[in-house]
Amino acid sequence: MRVAAISIFPEMFRAITDYGVSGRAVSEGHLVLDCINPRTFTHDRHRTVDDRPYGGGPGMVMKAEPLEAAIDEAVERVGGEAKVICLSPQGRVLDQAMVESLAEEPGLVLLSGRYEGIDERVLESWVDEEISIGDYVLSGGELAAMVLVDAVVRQIPGVLGHSQSAVEDSFADGLLDCPHYTRPEAHRGSRVPEVLLGGDHERIRRWRLKQSLQRTLIRRPELLQERELTAEEQRLLAEIENERPD
Ligand SMILES: NC(=O)c1ccc(N[C@@H]2CC[C@@H](O)C2)nc1
């Protein structure tokens, strides 16, 4: 997948190109990330990318011209066919379904704003979609862009070794993740659930599914409203309801 990130702080993206799963995706060629700095496309001595807002008010607004030139270059870098996304609190909130759909795109251009925001004419004419990673304000779109890239890159075949399949990720099946344990068996007096110590894989699978259902029911019940439940899941939920303290 080819991604071009537009930001006045391109070095920030080292956080995903130099570490972990996304870093390996880059080194193994599953992900190509270009960083494009709008300052490159300024022509004044101070390399100005922002200016005061019409109508007054605090802060500065990012100028259209440097951003549009950067978007132009970015679209070319990702090979012409690109979805142009701006990260902002005004966007549709990112969820796993959107992540899976974005992973199908041939190329993505991710626009990260700073200051008070971006001149609206850029959003109107150049941006296909605004996406938010949650209902809170950040100082810039870069962290949101990196969250999006990290989530999307996990969906690319070959990025996660067979040992970490994205299919088993929580949210991949619309449920919260089950508890995880590793050595030692007893830690500060708290023991690993017996079921996990035996080798009965079917029993372990069922226990983990029940744990996921129980956690989802307790912590995020609304996720269960939207989700088709298999016969087995319905049975396990009934068990959970019966076991619940009155
Ligand atoms: N929740 C989010 O995804 C999000 C994205 C961007 C952001 N802040 C930038 C700074 C200026 C404007 O471009 C938007 N805050 C929150």
Side-chain angles (χ1 to χ4, degrees):
M1 160 168 269
R2 300 184 62 89
V3 177
I6 296 173
S7 163
I8 59 171
F9 297 134
E11 308 78 20
M12 285 182 73
F13 289 83
R14 305 290 294 272
I16 52 172
T17 59
D18 293 13
Y19 301 90
V21 167
S22 52
R24 225 178 12 261
V26 170
S27 52
E28 290 172 0
H30 295 296
L31 169 69
V32 177
L33 180 71
D34 280 312
C35 294
I36 296 165
N37 188 336
R39 274 196 212 287
T40 312
F41 305 94
T42 57
H43 310 293
D44 63 304
R45 194 152 54 93
H46 298 292
R47 319 209 69 187
T48 309
V49 290
D50 62 314
D51 203 340
R52 288 175 299 113
Y54 280 116
M60 303 291 269
V61 174
M62 295 190 83
K63 293 172 66 63
E65 248 169 294
L67 286 176
E68 290 175 355
I71 292 171
D72 223 15
E73 169 69 16
V75 169
E76 205 178 307
R77 291 274 188 91
V78 299
E81 260 196 73
K83 182 183 274 277
V84 181
I85 293 168
C86 178
L87 287 302
S88 94
Q90 284 72 42
R92 190 153 65 103
V93 177
L94 186 67
D95 62 11
Q96 194 65 21
M98 286 165 70
V99 166
E100 288 165 10
S101 146
L102 288 169
E104 303 299 319
E105 294 287 338
L108 295 177
V109 172
L110 303 179
L111 180 51
S112 296
R114 283 267 154 177
Y115 310 105
E116 293 311 304
I118 289 169
D119 187 297
E120 189 64 16
R121 289 163 290 188
V122 177
L123 300 173
E124 279 165 359
S125 315
W126 293 74
V127 171
D128 298 313
E129 187 176 3
E130 288 186 76
I131 293 181
S132 167
I133 62 165
D135 291 332
Y136 37 82
V137 177
L138 300 170
S139 312
E142 289 83 2
L143 289 172
M146 286 189 260
V147 163
L148 185 150
V149 171
D150 187 286
V152 168
V153 86
R154 295 173 62 82
Q155 301 303 316
I156 298 172
V159 166
L160 290 181
H162 54 279
S163 66
Q164 308 158 280
S165 140
V167 173
E168 281 147 31
D169 270 355
S170 75
F171 274 104
D173 61 359
L175 299 176
L176 300 187
D177 207 2
C178 62
H180 299 283
Y181 300 87
T182 188
R183 287 178 292 193
E185 272 185 39
H187 172 67
R188 295 179 188 274
S190 170
R191 298 190 53 73
V192 172
E194 282 304 316
V195 61
L196 299 179
L197 303 178
D200 184 338
H201 295 291
E202 173 52 22
R203 195 170 156 240
I204 290 170
R205 181 197 64 78
R206 211 168 43 247
W207 180 86
R208 285 175 168 162
L209 176 57
K210 187 172 178 179
Q211 289 290 318
S212 288
L213 285 162
Q214 186 161 42
R215 275 180 158 188
T216 309
L217 180 66
I218 292 166
R219 301 182 191 186
R220 297 288 304 277
E222 76 280 6
L223 293 179
L224 292 178
Q225 306 306 326
E226 301 147 22
R227 189 173 179 288
E228 294 277 307
L229 292 173
T230 65
E232 176 182 44
E233 289 166 348
Q234 289 174 38
R235 258 198 325 278
L236 289 170
L237 267 178
E239 274 181 36
I240 291 164
E241 295 289 357
N242 291 337
E243 290 157 6
R244 270 177 107 160
D246 298 327

